[in-house]
Amino acid sequence: MKQLAYITKIFIEIVNGRIIKQEAWQMDIGEKSIISIRPNTHLNRLLFSMRDDATKAYNNYLQRCGKEAVVIIKLCYFIRSSTHQFYKDEDNSYIQIEVELRKKGMNHTDNYYVDKKDGISEKIEKTLIYLYDLFSEDYTRFEKKYLCNKVCFSGRAAATLVHEYSHLFEADIYLYSRKYLDQFNPMLKLQDLWFHQRIPKFCNCLDDELISSKSFVILEKGLLKNIIVDKKWATIYHLAPKGNGRIAFEENAIVMPRMRISHISFNKTISNYTRHPEENYLVIDNIKSGKLSPKEGIVTFNIESSKYYSSQEITKLGPFVISVHIHKLMNNIFGASNDEYCMACPCGKNGAQTPCGIVTPTEIYSLKDGINVLV
């Protein structure tokens, strides 16, 4: 089992089809130092492939959507290797895709990770078209009357909800969150996985502290089984570390206890739920960002797209910001779809960005019978 001691980052930025920046850096995890990489054949081949994927996606987008918006495409190719040479067969790699569209004072963004073997160009093109379509949506201004007693988190919104909830069990945050985590939804099972076949492999057999990676259960049947620790916090809480010591690609970065792949599931009673067409629901489809306040247990969501379903009509709501008591929201989940939605996204905990995965039902339903956890 080899330690992957180096992280190589190859970056390219393209604006409206023109290359603005391209660079390559390598981080020595042990020394926590970053150096620039000189051009070589392997590096040039990777840069060419990234440029080709981004340019092809942009040109296909132009044919369909035209030149109305400014298009910014950023690609980061990350490679983890056991030596400073990053082209060995055992090297782990994944790609971060960040896309932004700007038009008439508005902007829409998306940021996620994919496996190097995926169709990168097709994914970028699909993202560009999705973001462009958001400009043409006919939105209704959000009002408090749409905050009904039933809220559905769907797709990316469900994944963001689960991701923010998982933060409460990272040891440095649990130091504060444990004061209000007095009960848990007994129908919920939360796990931290180091590997999932539908998530890019950004975690390894050994973490950044040389601890063997193990998957484990955090919550099950209303009981807290484990929290997420690195070596330091494992000592404080008298626990065995399970490979959650992770470091960000930054100069002088420190190892922190970080989630890897948050996997949430529900028992059969809750998973068989089907929304009744006559009921009123606020359905949140996409959350642009979430910010957790650990001491209060409040998450502020920047919601990009949502719909209000009533017995008479469907109302598309414009972007808005909402704050929720995240632990209460999760404890009041009463329904979930019986399927699996997977996402890998950047997490900027304490300003240090690392990739995290989420596996969740596509739809999660919370609140009912007059319950309100909105701030």
Side-chain angles (χ1 to χ4, degrees), residues 14-17 58 61-62 64-73 99-108 128-129 131-136:
I14 295 179
V15 178
N16 287 346
Y58 175 71
Y61 156 83
L62 283 183
R64 177 167 174 174
C65 303
K67 297 183 179 181
E68 294 182 37
V70 176
V71 177
I72 302 171
I73 302 172
V99 177
E100 180 180 0
L101 263 64
R102 300 175 183 173
K103 179 182 176 183
K104 296 180 181 179
M106 298 185 294
N107 75 301
H108 294 292
L128 286 170
I129 293 171
L131 294 178
Y132 181 81
D133 288 343
L134 292 177
F135 288 118
S136 61

Side-chain angles (χ1 to χ4, degrees), residues 261-310:
I261 302 171
S262 300
H263 183 285
I264 197 167
S265 57
F266 301 91
N267 63 28
K268 292 182 180 179
T269 303
I270 206 168
S271 298
N272 291 335
Y273 180 81
T274 303
R275 180 165 56 88
H276 194 279
E278 296 299 317
E279 293 179 305
N280 294 348
Y281 276 88
L282 174 64
V283 178
I284 300 172
D285 297 310
N286 191 8
I287 297 175
K288 190 174 183 178
S289 62
K291 184 177 181 181
L292 173 67
S293 299
K295 293 182 180 180
E296 295 79 22
I298 294 173
V299 175
T300 300
F301 289 126
N302 185 349
I303 297 173
E304 188 163 63
S305 60
S306 59
K307 304 180 188 71
Y308 177 72
Y309 287 77
S310 68

Side-chain angles (χ1 to χ4, degrees), residues 154-166:
S154 177
R156 294 178 63 87
T160 305
L161 173 67
V162 173
H163 173 79
E164 294 297 336
Y165 183 59
S166 299

Side-chain angles (χ1 to χ4, degrees), residues 250-267:
E250 295 181 5
E251 194 78 43
N252 297 318
I254 62 172
V255 174
M256 288 191 289
R258 306 289 289 262
M259 70 185 84
R260 297 163 301 180
I261 302 171
S262 300
H263 183 285
I264 197 167
S265 57
F266 301 91
N267 63 28

Side-chain angles (χ1 to χ4, degrees), residues 65-127:
C65 303
K67 297 183 179 181
E68 294 182 37
V70 176
V71 177
I72 302 171
I73 302 172
K74 298 178 182 179
L75 300 181
C76 289
Y77 198 122
F78 290 93
I79 306 170
R80 299 185 67 114
S81 55
S82 55
T83 69
H84 68 276
Q85 296 177 328
F86 52 90
Y87 45 82
K88 303 294 184 182
D89 291 339
E90 79 270 12
D91 294 348
N92 287 7
S93 62
Y94 50 93
I95 297 176
Q96 181 180 1
I97 299 175
E98 182 177 350
V99 177
E100 180 180 0
L101 263 64
R102 300 175 183 173
K103 179 182 176 183
K104 296 180 181 179
M106 298 185 294
N107 75 301
H108 294 292
T109 61
D110 203 355
N111 195 345
Y112 54 94
Y113 293 88
V114 297
D115 188 88
K116 64 179 180 179
K117 298 177 182 178
D118 288 350
I120 306 301
S121 176
E122 291 78 8
K123 288 186 178 294
I124 298 173
E125 180 185 346
K126 184 178 179 180
T127 303

